[in-house]
Amino acid sequence: MWDETMKREIMPDTITFRPSLLPIIIKFLFLTCLLSLLLYFWDTRGSWVYLALAVIPLLGVIAIGKPLIFLQHVVIGEDKSITIRYWFGKGYTEKILTALYEIVVNDDKIRSYRFDIQGKLFQVSPCVYERGDELEAILKLFLKEKVVNVKPALLG
């Protein structure tokens, strides 16, 4: 079970994990520039090939833009609760053991944790957060207390 010394070492207090934005912003800007360049070539040269190729960076801009718009923060409370909140709107809070229902695994490494909090589904990938190794260490402690579904990652 939850050892008090482990709690003091890993979770001394309520901890907020914020997304690491620099890599996301760099990828977003690269894909936006590539999209703009392909659309410019389509407009000036009139070839539909450029428009067809523009779909790829467009999908990337949409996928990467979501984390930039929502800025999902994860708050781990000392009462073993998890709160998922965005820079706007309310947060969703639940006990970690109650909310955790699935982990996504790739090459025998946990890539993300899935939570059902107040009827809403959330996915938390520690690698995209500042101090992500600390977040992963905290969430792994709860895997010892609960059996959850393991799902393989579709895309590496």
Side-chain angles (χ1 to χ4, degrees):
M1 291 295 277
W2 186 263
D3 186 11
E4 287 301 317
T5 56
M6 291 170 74
K7 178 183 175 194
R8 273 185 255 116
E9 288 176 9
I10 295 177
M11 290 183 51
D13 202 0
T14 299
I15 305 171
T16 301
F17 296 94
R18 291 172 182 77
S20 179
L21 293 179
L22 185 60
I24 295 172
I25 291 171
I26 291 170
K27 290 175 188 174
F28 183 79
L29 289 175
F30 172 75
L31 289 171
T32 303
C33 290
L34 183 60
L35 176 64
S36 299
L37 184 66
L38 289 169
L39 291 176
Y40 172 76
F41 285 155
W42 171 64
D43 186 46
T44 57
R45 297 183 182 169
S47 176
W48 289 92
V49 173
Y50 294 112
L51 184 62
L53 288 174
V55 170
I56 296 168
L58 176 65
L59 293 174
V61 166
I62 293 169
I64 292 175
K66 182 182 175 191
L68 288 176
I69 293 171
F70 290 105
L71 290 177
Q72 178 175 296
H73 288 62
V74 176
V75 180
I76 305 291
E78 59 183 317
D79 62 345
K80 303 179 201 172
S81 66
I82 185 167
T83 301
I84 309 279
R85 62 181 173 83
Y86 302 114
W87 70 278
F88 62 89
K90 67 175 186 166
Y92 299 91
T93 304
E94 186 71 62
K95 295 289 185 184
I96 295 174
L97 284 176
T98 305
L100 182 63
Y101 74 91
E102 188 174 67
I103 58 172
V104 178
V105 177
N106 185 17
D107 296 330
D108 295 330
K109 183 174 181 191
I110 298 173
R111 297 293 179 193
S112 61
Y113 299 81
R114 292 185 176 166
F115 298 93
D116 183 352
I117 303 173
Q118 299 172 1
K120 303 243 185 237
L121 301 179
F122 297 94
Q123 182 163 317
V124 175
S125 299
C127 63
V128 299
Y129 291 92
E130 296 172 355
R131 301 182 349 250
D133 51 343
E134 188 178 343
L135 175 60
E136 187 167 9
I138 292 169
L139 293 175
K140 275 186 178 178
L141 287 174
F142 291 96
L143 290 178
K144 296 177 183 176
E145 297 184 38
K146 182 178 182 178
V147 177
V148 296
N149 293 334
V150 177
K151 184 175 182 179
L154 297 177
L155 302 173

